[in-house]
Amino acid sequence: MADTISKLAIHVGMNTAALRRGQSEVAGILGSMRQQVASVFVGLTGLSLGGAAGFGVRLAAEMEQAGIAFEVMIGDAERAKRLFNDLKDFAVATPFEFPELRDSARTLLAMGIGVDDVMRNIKVLGDVSAGTNQPLNELAGVFGQVAVAGRLTGNELRQFNERGIPLMDALATRFGTTKAAIREMVEDGKISFADVEAAMASMAGEGGRFANLMGRQSQTLAGRFSTLSDSVKMAAASFGTALAPALSKAIEALIPLANWFEKLSIDTIQSTVKITAWGAS
């Protein structure tokens, strides 16, 4: 028994030394972060500094995973990083929060929208979403369905209509014809994705029904609070990213310790069972 305790002390000592080194690095990083960021975060979320750090680490981990997913989908690390950073900047400047923008961009990419066209379409869909109070990711899904088909079908036209988006009017203006004629063109498969893309852009462009609605909404109280919330979350994610290397070292030190304790527990249980069985016999 004494021998087992000695081994435990040695093993724990070896592992906790690495753990203490990781903790020391974490403490150093925490001490170097600006107190203003922590104070604002605490004020908005009610979290303590330790809670803010944990929240920041979780956000950083989620963003790291999302960044990897974009890289896999796009197949180019630099272009994926550029799109990811554009989405983060867009989240801070608009009423939309980053997770919704991330999911919408992922939807567009999955449905064949080119990476260089994603932000342009996100901006158009964002204005339309702001004007119709429809979830951005839902609009991205319907828009993406048209992209996949390569043309507008009656199903997608109906979905746009149900969401209060006057796509048929915009198409009639684009082609200089009537809505009845547009309906026939849809039935004949003569409205391409490019036509829909242009019609949507016209609604969000200068003089369009949904022009600059994100900008206008961002100036409202709710929009400003959303912008502040995103700014704080991005700061928290940066905070978590700064902590990540030291935390990774600490976790690496804990893994073998946890494995050793697991083995010790199993060996102890097996020994107890054997002793019990021997005593019963």
Side-chain angles (χ1 to χ4, degrees):
M1 182 66 178
D3 185 53
T4 299
I5 293 174
S6 297
K7 290 179 180 177
L8 174 61
I10 293 171
H11 197 88
V12 170
M14 291 170 62
N15 283 279
T16 54
L19 178 59
R20 283 195 298 273
R21 285 196 297 272
Q23 289 174 329
S24 178
E25 291 184 39
V26 171
I29 293 170
L30 282 171
S32 67
M33 297 301 289
R34 292 181 178 180
Q35 187 60 39
Q36 291 92 332
V37 173
S39 298
V40 171
F41 190 88
V42 170
L44 284 174
T45 65
L47 294 173
S48 64
L49 182 59
F55 181 76
V57 169
R58 287 195 300 275
L59 278 179
E62 289 173 5
M63 295 188 77
E64 182 181 26
Q65 290 179 335
I68 292 171
F70 273 115
E71 185 177 334
V72 170
M73 293 180 76
I74 294 170
D76 184 311
E78 276 303 311
R79 295 174 79 192
K81 183 178 180 180
R82 188 162 57 248
L83 174 59
F84 198 73
N85 288 335
D86 286 345
L87 289 169
K88 289 196 295 184
D89 292 342
F90 196 65
V92 172
T94 68
F96 296 102
E97 297 194 357
F98 178 76
E100 186 175 15
L101 294 170
R102 175 201 63 205
D103 292 345
S104 298
R106 192 158 48 195
T107 296
L108 294 180
L109 288 170
M111 292 187 165
I113 305 294
V115 60
D116 295 328
D117 298 323
V118 168
M119 282 308 304
R120 173 168 52 80
N121 283 307
I122 284 285
K123 291 173 182 177
V124 168
L125 294 171
D127 276 328
V128 175
S129 172
T132 58
N133 199 31
Q134 296 294 318
L136 178 60
N137 199 36
E138 284 189 13
L139 297 186
V142 180
F143 187 75
Q145 289 171 23
V146 181
V148 169
R151 61 185 179 84
L152 180 65
T153 70
N155 179 51
E156 282 77 44
L157 180 59
R158 183 176 63 256
Q159 291 188 63
F160 280 119
N161 288 338
E162 289 172 350
R163 288 169 172 78
I165 301 168
L167 180 59
M168 190 178 293
D169 290 342
L171 287 168
T173 299
R174 173 175 171 75
F175 285 99
T177 188
T178 64
K179 289 194 289 185
I182 292 296
R183 192 173 289 108
E184 289 181 7
M185 292 174 69
V186 170
E187 292 173 357
D188 294 338
K190 293 181 178 179
I191 304 292
S192 69
F193 170 67
D195 293 325
V196 172
E197 192 175 30
M200 294 288 286
S202 70
M203 288 189 282
E206 186 177 353
R209 183 175 301 193
F210 305 117
N212 194 36
L213 277 181
M214 283 186 296
R216 290 165 59 187
Q217 283 200 0
S218 67
Q219 298 306 309
T220 65
L221 178 61
R224 287 176 175 173
F225 186 83
S226 174
T227 296
L228 176 60
S229 175
D230 265 318
S231 297
V232 171
K233 286 178 181 177
M234 293 305 167
S238 297
F239 184 72
T241 299
L243 290 174
L247 287 175
S248 293
K249 291 180 182 179
I251 291 169
E252 287 175 5
L254 283 172
I255 289 173
L257 179 61
N259 291 337
W260 190 83
F261 270 121
E262 180 186 17
K263 185 177 184 302
L264 177 65
S265 299
I266 292 173
D267 290 344
T268 302
I269 292 170
Q270 289 176 339
S271 298
T272 303
V273 170
K274 287 180 181 178
I275 292 171
T276 302
W278 179 79
S281 63

